[in-house]
Amino acid sequence: MCRRNIRFLMNPAFSFVFLLAILLFSIQCSRKGPHQELSPAAKKGTTKSGTNTGTEDAGQKIAYSDVQPIFLKRCGRCHNQNGLANWGDEKVAITNAKKLIQRVAVATNMPPAGSPEASAITTAEKEMIHKWASGIADAASENATPSPSDSGPTGPTTTADQSGADATGNEGHGGPPGPGTEVTVASPAPPPAAPPTSPAPSGTNLALEKCAACHGEKGLSSASGFPHLAGQSATYLNEQLNHFREDKRKDSTSGAMNMIAGSLSKEEQEILVSYFSDLPHPVTAPLSAEKIENLDLGVLFKKGQELAKSMSCNGCHASGPNLLPGPSAWPSLAGQDRVYIENQLAAFLSGKRTNATTMPKLLKQRNPPITDEEMQALGVYFQNLRPEKTESKQ
């Protein structure tokens, strides 16, 4: 029986059929054969619908409609009313996408430190603005990148394509071209031109970059508590910036002024001082006689007027027909923000502001001591003081 089986296995016909079956089986089950994965894995960067989304997961693309409410709520106070770029306008926001990335994610100075928006904006809102702006900037970079066919040669090239095929179409292996192959060598690239000299920054540009968020592009603050800088003397502005940089005067709100003043070069400080001092003084609509007689604001105005006269405030801070300060190193208070005036008087009285000697003495030596209501009255008086209202006309 065993011999019969052995003879059967050694039969050439059987051996041929057996080997053929093994060969066919190995071909059909190889990795390159017709068998495919039952459920191919989705490729990275492709949604179920096949739309390429880069490295982000499907559904993570941020639309402008998602960030516009943030722009309006967190940036609209300055980037709308003061002449700054209005992020609430889609075209403007798209044009300034790279600037938004810089200010929100890199320098993190928008909203500016110390502003109400800076404490109100959330991390999620900042991340959403960053994602949206990054998507816009990336798309703009891709559209601006020239295709290989447009860029021209940048070095030695041959008529062989990048796959290694030579000029006859035969596949090569990256070696030297065969006989008869044309070789084109590009001309050497010209040396890079020297970068152009950057012009000196203008006062408007510096004001927009450094100051406008709190003090307005034209030196008129849009938020109560921040001082108007328009029309202040160059001597006073320069002195206060020096005091902030040297920490002789502290920004009690956030410390932002100390950081900003410290970041200014000598040239930038001179430009900003000249720019703001040349702007016209703020002018507040005068209170009508009816308001002065009947409203609480009018009562405070009259009380502040009497205090300014008894304490000789106008001689230093609002004298003459134009209500300019006496010495140029003293600030002009006519038309100034009332809350800012009140806060500074309180800081002098409490000792929080120490970069002046005259004001703390005047306030502390007054008998009886000045009250919170009286400081408020002085703020209302000076804010509503106009050049037409000199002491001789009142």
Side-chain angles (χ1 to χ4, degrees):
M1 183 68 181
C2 293
R3 291 180 181 178
R4 184 183 302 174
N5 290 340
I6 293 171
R7 285 198 301 272
F8 177 78
L9 293 175
M10 293 179 64
N11 189 302
F14 173 81
S15 300
F16 175 79
V17 172
F18 181 75
L19 292 173
L20 181 61
I22 293 175
L23 179 63
L24 290 174
F25 180 82
S26 63
I27 291 175
Q28 290 296 316
C29 295
S30 68
R31 292 183 181 180
K32 296 182 180 180
H35 294 293
Q36 301 295 327
E37 295 176 2
L38 293 178
S39 57
K43 293 182 179 180
K44 185 179 181 180
T46 305
T47 64
K48 292 181 180 179
S49 61
T51 303
N52 196 332
T53 59
T55 57
E56 292 182 347
D57 295 333
Q60 291 300 308
K61 249 188 164 181
I62 307 297
Y64 176 74
S65 58
D66 298 322
V67 294
Q68 185 185 37
I70 304 174
F71 288 143
L72 295 175
K73 187 176 182 180
R74 306 302 187 195
C75 315
R77 179 170 62 86
C78 297
H79 286 272
N80 189 15
Q81 300 172 355
N82 283 351
L84 302 182
N86 181 10
W87 310 132
D89 185 315
E90 184 173 5
K91 291 182 179 179
V92 175
I94 289 174
T95 304
N96 292 276
K98 289 186 178 180
K99 181 184 291 185
L100 283 165
I101 295 171
Q102 174 66 27
R103 296 199 63 189
V104 173
V106 181
T108 62
N109 59 0
M110 190 179 85
S115 66
E117 292 82 358
S119 57
I121 192 169
T122 65
T123 302
E125 289 173 332
K126 285 189 173 184
E127 288 178 352
M128 186 171 289
I129 293 175
H130 185 205
K131 284 184 179 180
W132 174 82
S134 297
I136 296 297
D138 291 344
S141 298
E142 289 176 3
N143 292 336
T145 302
S147 63
S149 60
D150 296 332
S151 61
T154 57
T157 60
T158 73
T159 55
D161 61 25
Q162 293 180 353
S163 66
D166 61 19
T168 63
N170 296 323
E171 287 189 1
H173 301 282
T181 302
E182 287 186 12
V183 178
T184 304
V185 180
S187 301
T197 304
S198 300
S202 68
T204 302
N205 290 340
L206 272 177
L208 284 171
E209 179 185 349
K210 303 284 188 179
C211 317
C214 297
H215 302 287
E217 178 189 357
K218 300 298 182 182
L220 303 178
S221 63
S222 61
S224 184
F226 292 97
H228 303 312
L229 302 184
Q232 292 293 344
S233 74
T235 302
Y236 177 73
L237 291 174
N238 199 56
E239 179 186 65
Q240 296 309 304
L241 284 171
N242 289 338
H243 285 182
F244 277 124
R245 183 175 58 255
E246 298 163 3
D247 286 336
K248 292 180 180 179
R249 179 178 176 182
K250 298 286 187 180
D251 182 349
S252 58
T253 305
S254 64
M257 275 306 306
N258 299 94
M259 293 187 291
I260 292 172
S263 72
L264 294 175
S265 67
K266 182 179 179 181
E267 180 189 21
E268 288 175 331
Q269 181 166 323
E270 290 175 354
I271 291 172
L272 283 173
V273 165
S274 176
Y275 172 76
F276 284 116
S277 62
D278 287 341
L279 292 172
H281 284 270
V283 176
T284 306
L287 292 173
S288 65
E290 182 182 358
K291 285 184 177 180
I292 291 177
E293 292 299 329
N294 299 329
L295 299 180
D296 290 341
L297 193 64
V299 173
L300 285 173
F301 178 87
K302 292 184 71 174
K303 188 171 186 176
Q305 184 181 33
E306 294 170 359
L307 282 167
K309 188 173 182 178
S310 65
M311 296 174 66
S312 302
C313 300
N314 289 43
C316 297
H317 298 287
S319 62
N322 295 319
L323 299 180
L324 297 177
S328 60
W330 293 353
S332 172
L333 297 186
Q336 186 56 270
D337 178 73
R338 55 182 284 193
V339 176
Y340 174 74
I341 293 175
E342 183 181 349
N343 289 344
Q344 296 311 301
L345 288 172
F348 281 129
L349 187 63
S350 66
K352 289 183 178 179
R353 181 171 173 180
T354 59
N355 71 319
T357 55
T358 304
M359 281 305 302
K361 288 180 181 179
L362 287 175
L363 294 174
K364 291 177 180 179
Q365 292 174 0
R366 184 175 181 270
N367 190 18
I370 191 169
T371 64
D372 291 343
E373 184 182 6
E374 289 174 329
M375 288 188 284
Q376 185 181 9
L378 284 171
V380 171
Y381 168 70
F382 279 112
Q383 176 174 280
N384 293 282
L385 192 60
R386 293 168 57 93
E388 296 81 8
K389 286 189 172 184
T390 58
E391 288 299 314
S392 60
K393 293 182 181 180
Q394 292 175 356

